[in-house]
Amino acid sequence: MVAAAVAGLGIAYLPDWLTHDHVASGALVPVMTSHPPPPAGAYVVRPPGQHPARKIRVLTELLIEYCDRTPHPAGAAPA
């Protein structure tokens, strides 16, 4: 969807972390900025148990780290 929006094929409803660089470069232009979407969360679903497999734990930690580094719109707090 990002590629389609950048190519001018229409409007896309996408998370800021996917569009930030394109908006900064001018390739995409935000629309409906006076009606921002409600905050949303992200969830990691994993098999039950107190001690997930190392690969699941590492992936979860990487996702959390990546999301904490991602730019957030003005006034929005990171999740």
Side-chain angles (χ1 to χ4, degrees):
M1 287 183 63
V2 174
V6 170
L9 298 177
I11 296 173
Y13 177 69
L14 299 164
D16 293 330
W17 62 271
L18 282 176
T19 60
H20 177 75
D21 293 340
H22 299 291
V23 171
S25 73
L28 291 177
V29 178
V31 296
M32 295 186 64
T33 55
S34 60
H35 301 284
Y43 300 90
V44 174
V45 179
R46 61 178 178 84
Q50 290 289 335
H51 306 288
R54 183 177 187 282
K55 61 185 174 184
I56 301 296
R57 200 172 59 252
V58 168
L59 175 61
T60 302
E61 290 168 3
L62 286 171
L63 289 170
I64 290 168
E65 181 183 327
Y66 179 79
C67 290
D68 283 345
R69 286 188 317 215
T70 303
H72 300 280

